[in-house]
Structure formats: C-alpha cells, structure tokens
Amino acid sequence: MTPQLSSGESQRDPARGAPASRSPWVTIIVIYLAGVAAAMSLGKFSPVEPQVTAQFGLSSSQLGWVISAVVALGAVAGLPAGYLVRRVGAARSLVVALVLMVAASALSAAAGNLTWLLTARVAESAGYLLVSITCPALILRLAHERDRGVALSVWATFVPVGIGLSTLAGGAVGTALGWRGWVLLIAGATLVMTVVVRARLPWASAPETDPETDPDTAAGSVPGARALAWPALLTVAFCLMVLVTIPVIVLLPTLLIKEHGLSAAAAGALTSVISLAGVPGGLAVGLLLRRGVPLGALAASGLLVVPAAWLTYAGGGSLAAAVTGAGVISLENGLLGALVFAALPQVLERLDHADAGNGLVTQMGSLGSLLGPPLFGLVAGAFGYGAAVPVIVAGMAASVGILLLVARHVSGRARWVTPETG
C-alpha cells in the first residue's frame, strides 16, 4: 500500500533522472552518514565531560544543560521546522543544517565561558533539528516503494550509531587532543559530509525544475490538521515509548553504580554496549516488513519491555537480570523507533507531506527524551527504582495500544485504497 504520490515522486532514479530498477542506495547511504555525523555532535561532550567540567567549573546540572540543549529545541519546534523545510526544500535545508552544525562546533571549540558554550549549542540544535527532519524525508522520496521500509529502518539507527561512535572515540581523542581538539574533529567530519552531500544530491539549474531530478521540487498543498491526524497519533505512540525507554538507558550507569557496585568506568562501558543493542533492533524491522511481517505483530513485541522492566529494576537485585532487562529495552527502543519511521509513509496522505510528518516525529521524540529522565529521577528518588516499573508498564501499554490502532488503519488502507502510481 502506498500513499498518494505527488508529481515529484516516481519510479525513476531521482539521482540520475533515468528509469531505474532499484533505489539509489549510494545517495541514501550518504544521507544516512550525514545523520550519523550529526548524532556524533549530539553526544560529543559526554566522553570529555571531566575536561569540560574542569575548564569551565560546571556543575553536573550545568553540564546536563550543555548536553541536552540540542534536544530541547526539537521538543518545541519540530513541526514548525518541518513546515519550514517544506517551503525551502529538503536537500537545500540539509546542506544549510550541516553548515550550521560545522560553524556551531567551531564556535563551541573556541568557547571561553558557559554562556558562549550554550549559545553555540543552541545554534547547533537548530542544525541538528533540520538534519533530523530532512534526512528521513529525502530517504523516503529517493527509495522505491519496496525499499522504503528497509531504508527508513536503517535511518532509525543513526542516533545510537552516532552516539556509540562518539562514546568509543571521544575519550581517546579527547585525551590526545583535548576536548577542543575533539570538538574540532567532529566539525571537520561534519564538513566532509557537507561537501559529499552537496556533491551527491541532485540539484536542478533551470528555473523550471524537473521533479524527477530535483528532490526540492515544490509539491502539493500544505498538510493541515486533518492530513496529519494519523501521523500525529503515530508520533504520540513514539513519544510514550521514548518517554519510558530512553531513561532506562540514560540512567543505567547510576543504577549499576549505586545498586550493583560497579565502578564508573565499568558502568559506562557496559551502558555503551547495551545502548548499541537498539541498532540490530532497528535493522530487523526493515527486513521483517519486507518479508511480510505485519506492523501489528512488530508493534506487539513492545510488550516485551514489561517483563524486561521488572528484570531491570525488581529482578532480585541481580546484575545479570538488570543487564538482560536493559538490553531487551534497548533492543525494543531501536525496533519500535524504526517501526515508527517505516510506518510514517503509510499514514501520510501524500509522500510530499514527509517534511511535516518527520517534524512531528522529531518533536514528539525530543519531548519524550526531554521529559523522561527527570520523570524517572523523580520517581526513583521518591520511591526507589522499583517504582519505575509501573510507569514503564503504563507507558508501553499505551504506546503499543496506539501502534496497534495505527497498524489496523494501515491495513484498512491497504485493502480499500487504490494508490495512484504517478
């Protein structure tokens, strides 16, 4: 089943303007790597935390603001940014976003005080927000229908891969070059991706662009509230899932140190490995959807988070139980996140509504990421870690219920809607 295609979507290769039998995977991979570079910036201060804290005399709370400032803007401006991308064009917006992230990283490296550093991070957050919206929108338009699920599932792994690379490389590079050298290295890598993206994406030079060779061709009407009703419902499920799974990973080092006696280094390394469990979960979605596994079946797997939460927080105090439970939650976070990206084109009325749709996804995911850790910290501080289990159960039950409703809607459209093929 496909949503209605605009004049800009066809089964021709958008990167070449000629009939093609497969999606332009090289271009899609370039776009994905641009997202990974952006996600590395998202987590670049965590591995050099001691140096940054010592340099500026920051408290843990102040450093937390430096790290989370990137997500905060997405929580309030995702949908408006999606409409802006729609007006300017996804490809053009992506290049502008990457240039902004390069400039903001360079500004961060030259920071002399906390205000300077926070200002640079706010500017960087604008770039990161635009990357989060434009990349999946471009992938959705470039990939052929049969490949969209796989392509968008791969895209959904960009955050854990980027943060994982930052975590693995940042400590050693920061020790060798200092935190400023590490930040400049990230800026350099992002600059390289900017050049590659600019060279690889198709750009029309004529005033009247060809929609089959330019991904920024103007499309149909601006989506209103009715057109975004089902995408909004899908992103509510996404927000709830993120709200109750991300804090488990973010606060896992504290749990491992306080409840299981691990050192800070061991807890950090173990958490890094567990966070990467979301990558195979995300990759599995595209393959399973391509083999005909229903959306509803994949959505229902989210209920595995319920026993996993009990293992993590109330499994008899065993380290093995806590690690196993957290690993399952991380896996499901990756799987359900990829499912949302893969399902989005199936609930859009038109594929050229992808900018606004991805803006909603970004905004609701950022909102869950922003509110989840403080909520869990409040609950655990007041009632103990075991009190987090009913919170997770309630959040996941609601999320899975909404996803099943969306899956039923998608199934109904597949049976009754005959799409146009351009």
Side-chain angles (χ1 to χ4, degrees), residues 356-382:
N358 281 300
L360 267 176
V361 171
T362 300
Q363 182 160 342
M364 297 302 280
S366 297
L367 186 63
S369 297
L370 188 66
L371 298 180
L375 173 64
F376 269 56
L378 182 65
V379 170

Side-chain angles (χ1 to χ4, degrees), residues 44-52 166-183 185:
K44 67 187 174 187
F45 284 108
S46 295
V48 292
E49 174 184 345
Q51 294 183 47
V52 176
S166 266
T167 302
L168 292 174
V173 175
T175 300
L177 303 179
W179 74 267
R180 297 181 191 272
W182 163 241
V183 170
L185 184 63

Side-chain angles (χ1 to χ4, degrees), residues 227-403:
L228 292 178
W230 281 102
L233 192 61
L234 177 67
T235 62
V236 169
F238 184 48
C239 179
L240 289 169
M241 183 275 293
V242 169
L243 182 75
V244 298
T245 58
I246 286 293
V248 175
I249 309 304
V250 171
L251 300 176
L252 185 60
T254 303
L255 176 73
L256 295 177
I257 293 169
K258 290 185 175 180
E259 301 295 317
H260 300 284
L262 269 63
S263 67
L270 191 54
T271 301
S272 179
V273 172
I274 289 172
S275 68
L276 289 174
V279 175
L283 295 175
V285 169
L287 299 176
L288 292 172
L289 288 175
R290 199 164 186 174
R291 291 178 177 272
V293 177
L295 284 173
L298 293 174
S301 74
L303 294 175
L304 290 174
V305 170
V306 172
W310 184 85
L311 283 173
T312 304
Y313 293 118
S318 164
L319 175 62
V323 169
T324 301
V328 172
I329 291 172
S330 178
L331 180 74
E332 284 295 330
N333 173 270
L335 187 151
L336 294 176
L339 184 64
V340 168
F341 278 105
L344 180 62
Q346 301 185 63
V347 296
L348 292 172
E349 286 191 358
R350 301 171 60 95
L351 290 185
D352 57 4
H353 292 174
D355 309 302
N358 281 300
L360 267 176
V361 171
T362 300
Q363 182 160 342
M364 297 302 280
S366 297
L367 186 63
S369 297
L370 188 66
L371 298 180
L375 173 64
F376 269 56
L378 182 65
V379 170
F383 307 105
Y385 284 104
V389 175
V391 175
I392 295 173
V393 171
M396 281 309 303
S399 178
V400 170
I402 295 172
L403 286 174

